[in-house]
Amino acid sequence: MIIAAVGTAFPPHYYDQERLLEAFRAHWARRHYNLERLEALHRNVLVGGRHLALPLEEYEGLGSFGEANDAWIRVGQEVGEEAVRRALDGAGLAPADVSALMFVTVTGVATPSIDARLVNRMGLASNVKRLPLFGLGCVAGAAGLARAADYVRAFPGDVMVLLSVELCSLTLQREDLSIPNLIASGLFGDGAAAAVVVGSDRSAAGPRVVATRSAFYRDTERAMGWDISERGFKVVLSAEVPELTRRHLRSDVDGFLAEHGLVRSQISRWIAHPGGPKVLQAVEEALELAPEALEISWRSLREAGNLSSTSVLLVLAEVLERRPPALGSYGLVLAMGPGFCSELVLLRW
């Protein structure tokens, strides 16, 4: 099970955090909100700018969940196709070579799903196996890699493409003045990423998936997720997420590595989902990492924000393209998300 390539794609509309903050100030000032508090929350997430699915001025015209979701379907197909094509090009494969397509998201809904629409747009084989998954949230990038590895273990001659599309800006509740929503308005961005995972009967450059581990933390359902209503997706984001990370991640990682005769010091690349400053700090503390260990995750957060399931694949793409370790080295992909839960994927170059 080899990760042959990762492709990424973003909508063309990029705004720095100052421009976005200016727009939020103008909107929420109508309701006499504490604008100093808004500014502090946006600065604390340490995001420098984000891609948005739509031009900034078009968001005010989205009058319903249905209109926002229609935009998600349209833009999702565009960035999804671009990410898949880039990943296939990187792996030296064509759309017709794809045996299975897994699609993960938590920011929109569609039936037929985005993966089905891409079969038509891209000319995928009519017998391609499709697996659309909704609801895993931020953990879905790592979990998708794990499930893709499971698939090609069973079908070693196959090519699985994992596609993540997250257009978080289209979920924003503009009338919600809760602290979680205000944090989300400054933290989350839009984009897509696709990973090509091939079985052992195929030759490919890239790291091998050695093993995976899922961990579910009981009775933590309100730590993170959505409350869904006629208005769409309202964010649930508890302040206990960093503490849950500190409480569980070290023992999960150490136990997982020990099963393969490894310890943390043998991991050359930490490919961590950039969930936010407090989450990344909690990961650093829990795993006793050097400041530079999560440098790519911190930079991804700063340059693009948190893209839910897409973000860990952005970090992986950066490692594959610009920071691959020496042959024989190990890496660990890790992410946490709604449930509350975590997913670990052990790689070897």
Side-chain angles (χ1 to χ4, degrees):
M1 303 87 68
I2 298 172
I3 301 174
V6 177
T8 64
F10 300 93
H13 319 292
Y14 186 84
Y15 300 92
D16 65 36
Q17 199 77 335
E18 288 300 324
R19 177 68 184 90
L20 294 172
L21 182 55
E22 177 186 326
F24 284 120
R25 279 198 204 101
H27 176 76
W28 276 316
R30 304 170 196 166
R31 299 184 61 182
H32 309 290
Y33 184 73
N34 183 338
L35 298 181
E36 290 75 19
R37 179 62 167 156
L38 171 67
E39 183 170 338
L41 290 170
H42 274 231
R43 297 197 188 286
N44 287 344
V45 298
L46 304 183
V47 174
R50 288 168 285 164
H51 296 267
L52 299 186
L54 305 176
L56 191 56
E57 62 272 13
E58 292 187 14
Y59 284 84
E60 287 286 345
L62 297 175
S64 68
F65 171 50
E67 291 177 358
N69 198 70
D70 285 346
W72 178 86
I73 293 171
R74 175 175 56 81
V75 178
Q77 291 178 81
E78 294 168 357
V79 294
E81 178 179 358
E82 184 178 353
V84 172
R85 289 193 183 279
R86 288 181 174 176
L88 290 173
D89 286 347
L93 296 168
D97 296 320
V98 177
S99 312
L101 175 58
M102 181 188 304
F103 174 65
V104 297
T105 191
V106 76
T107 52
V109 292
T111 303
S113 49
I114 297 295
D115 48 288
R117 297 165 195 247
L118 292 182
V119 172
N120 294 319
R121 288 175 66 108
M122 299 185 64
L124 300 181
S126 60
N127 63 348
V128 67
K129 305 177 184 75
R130 297 186 297 108
L131 294 89
L133 300 179
F134 176 88
L136 288 171
C138 295
V139 80
L145 285 175
R147 301 295 78 79
D150 291 343
Y151 173 86
V152 297
R153 183 182 293 112
F155 300 97
D158 278 10
V159 174
M160 162 73 87
V161 172
L162 164 68
L163 170 62
S164 163
V165 173
E166 302 288 14
L167 304 179
C168 305
S169 69
L170 293 172
T171 71
L172 181 67
Q173 300 294 304
R174 295 192 298 276
E175 305 309 312
D176 178 8
L177 296 180
S178 67
I179 295 299
N181 190 59
L182 296 176
I183 292 173
S185 73
L187 177 62
F188 290 97
D190 298 347
V196 177
V197 182
V198 302
S200 58
D201 289 352
R202 289 179 171 266
S203 60
R208 177 171 61 92
V209 177
V210 177
T212 69
R213 168 66 59 83
S214 301
F216 188 87
Y217 311 129
R218 296 185 185 277
D219 303 317
T220 57
E221 295 172 15
R222 295 299 295 176
M224 178 185 293
W226 296 128
D227 284 332
I228 301 176
S229 73
E230 69 282 357
R231 294 184 177 180
F233 303 117
K234 179 180 178 181
V235 68
V236 175
L237 187 60
S238 168
E240 69 174 333
V241 168
E243 181 53 35
L244 286 169
T245 303
R246 293 186 183 90
R247 189 184 311 160
H248 294 288
L249 192 58
R250 181 185 300 182
S251 60
D252 288 342
V253 169
D254 286 351
F256 178 51
L257 294 179
E259 290 180 1
H260 302 279
L262 299 170
V263 294
R264 274 177 270 142
S265 61
Q266 293 174 273
I267 301 300
S268 297
R269 293 292 182 271
W270 295 93
I271 302 160
H273 167 65
K278 291 184 178 180
V279 173
L280 285 176
Q281 289 165 1
V283 171
E284 290 174 337
E285 293 171 17
L287 300 179
E288 301 173 308
L289 299 179
E292 66 273 12
L294 299 185
E295 188 269 333
I296 296 176
S297 296
W298 280 105
R299 188 167 74 249
S300 181
L301 177 68
R302 184 169 60 250
E303 294 177 355
N306 178 346
L307 276 67
S308 190
S309 66
T310 301
S311 277
V312 77
L313 299 176
L314 300 181
V315 177
L316 177 60
E318 179 76 9
V319 171
L320 294 180
E321 293 171 15
R322 296 182 176 85
R323 295 282 300 279
L327 290 179
S329 299
Y330 289 93
L332 189 68
V333 180
L334 61 95
M336 308 181 84
F340 194 65
C341 63
S342 66
E343 194 80 26
L344 308 175
V345 182
L346 180 63
L347 306 179
R348 190 172 192 185
W349 270 260

